[in-house]
Structures are given as structure tokens and as C-alpha cells.
Amino acid sequence: GFAFLVRYTLHLAGESDSEKDILAKRTQMLELTGDFRKYYPYSEEAYRVEAEVFSELNEPENELAPLREAMNKLRVCPKCALRYADVQFERGDYPEAMTAIERAIRDANQTQSSVSEGYLYYLSALCRIAMLESETAAREQVYGIYSDFNIALREISSSSSYMDVIRSKTNALVTKTGVEIP
């Protein structure tokens, strides 16, 4: 209910032309996320929804704080870790994104996964590529990338645009490193 109410208020803020109204709705949404955390202290959804508020209100500098807080306070928070990784990847902070991806993969080990594990491995492979030191990367590093892409391929729909990126990146890796796909 909290998440729905916050998203509905976010929708109303998006429909408003008044800066005063938008600021009032922002305050209301943050109070709701605070209550959400208070009543459900072990739920990652409260943190994720708060980050979503900041993202939708175009406050990227505030978006990471609730995600980071969730990762520090909660034992399991795959959604928050994934969103944190996405933001850091988009900003080009690949080591930080990789740390969050590893956390999300570990946290996704549940009876019912709440995140796309295929996407996690896809993002992991892209981070690893971005962090390769040189074209003479160690064979183990390249195999790690291939392994991540292979897991992603098994999980992601074959009609997905991710398939084209995977194909392109692996072809480039083979050409640049000389390490064939096993």
C-alpha cells in the first residue's frame, strides 16, 4: 500500500504545473517512505521506492543515498543493489557497480527471485569489459566475461536487444584478446 500511494502521489506531482504543489507532494512522498521504513524496517522496497522518488523528481544526487543505506542495513536487498549498480554503471563507476552487482547476485539467491538474474550477469559482463586493463587481458578475465554472458543468454529472452550487444561484445573480445569462446 505504501509503494502504491507513493507512486500515485508521484504521478500526481508529474501532472502538476505548480512548483509549490510539486514540493508539497515531494514532502508527502518522503514522509510516506519514512513511514514505510518505520513499519517495515526489513523491507528493501521502502528504500527502493524512496530512491525512485528522487530519480523521478530529477534529483540524481539524492537517489543513491537510500540504496546505499539499504545495502548497509539490510542483509538481503537485491533490488536496491541492482538499482545502485545500474546508476553507477551509467555514471561510469564500474568498480562500484561491480561491487553492487556481486551483492545483488548473492542476494538474489532466494526461493523466488525478485530481480532478473540474466540482467545481473549481463551487467556484470559489461562492467568486466569496461574494467579490462588492456587488450592483453588475462585469459581468466575474458573467460569470466564469457561465463557471465553465457548465464545471461540462458536467462534473457532470445528476442531481446541484449542479444545483439552480447554478440557484438563477444566478437570484439575475441578479436582484441585472441581468446576464443570455449
Side-chain angles (χ1 to χ4, degrees), residues 48-97:
R48 199 176 69 72
V49 168
E50 183 178 346
E52 184 181 329
V53 168
F54 290 126
S55 175
E56 292 295 320
L57 292 177
N58 199 24
E59 297 181 35
E61 67 282 359
N62 294 326
E63 181 182 4
L64 290 179
L67 300 172
R68 196 177 301 111
E69 187 177 347
M71 291 168 60
N72 289 330
K73 285 186 174 181
L74 304 177
R75 288 181 174 240
V76 177
C77 59
K79 292 179 194 174
C80 288
L82 174 57
R83 180 62 190 150
Y84 187 85
D86 268 333
V87 172
Q88 294 295 22
F89 182 84
E90 290 169 10
R91 293 179 179 182
D93 190 345
Y94 304 115
E96 188 72 14

Side-chain angles (χ1 to χ4, degrees), residues 133-152:
E133 297 283 328
S134 67
E135 293 178 6
T136 58
R139 183 176 292 287
E140 293 78 31
Q141 288 178 297
V142 178
Y143 281 155
I145 294 167
Y146 292 154
S147 175
D148 284 352
F149 274 148
N150 192 38
I151 294 168

Side-chain angles (χ1 to χ4, degrees), residues 1-9 32 36 45-46 48-49 52:
F2 281 108
F4 174 80
L5 188 53
V6 169
R7 288 185 181 114
Y8 180 70
T9 307
L32 285 167
F36 194 175
E45 191 65 14
R48 199 176 69 72
V49 168
E52 184 181 329

Side-chain angles (χ1 to χ4, degrees), residues 11-23 25:
H11 168 75
L12 294 176
E15 298 288 312
S16 179
D17 292 335
S18 163
E19 186 175 337
K20 183 178 177 182
D21 186 43
I22 292 170
L23 289 174
K25 295 215 181 323

Side-chain angles (χ1 to χ4, degrees), residues 19 50 64 76 90 98-99 109 122 124 126-127 136:
E19 186 175 337
E50 183 178 346
L64 290 179
V76 177
E90 290 169 10
M98 195 65 207
T99 299
N109 190 26
Y122 171 78
S124 174
L126 293 178
C127 278
T136 58

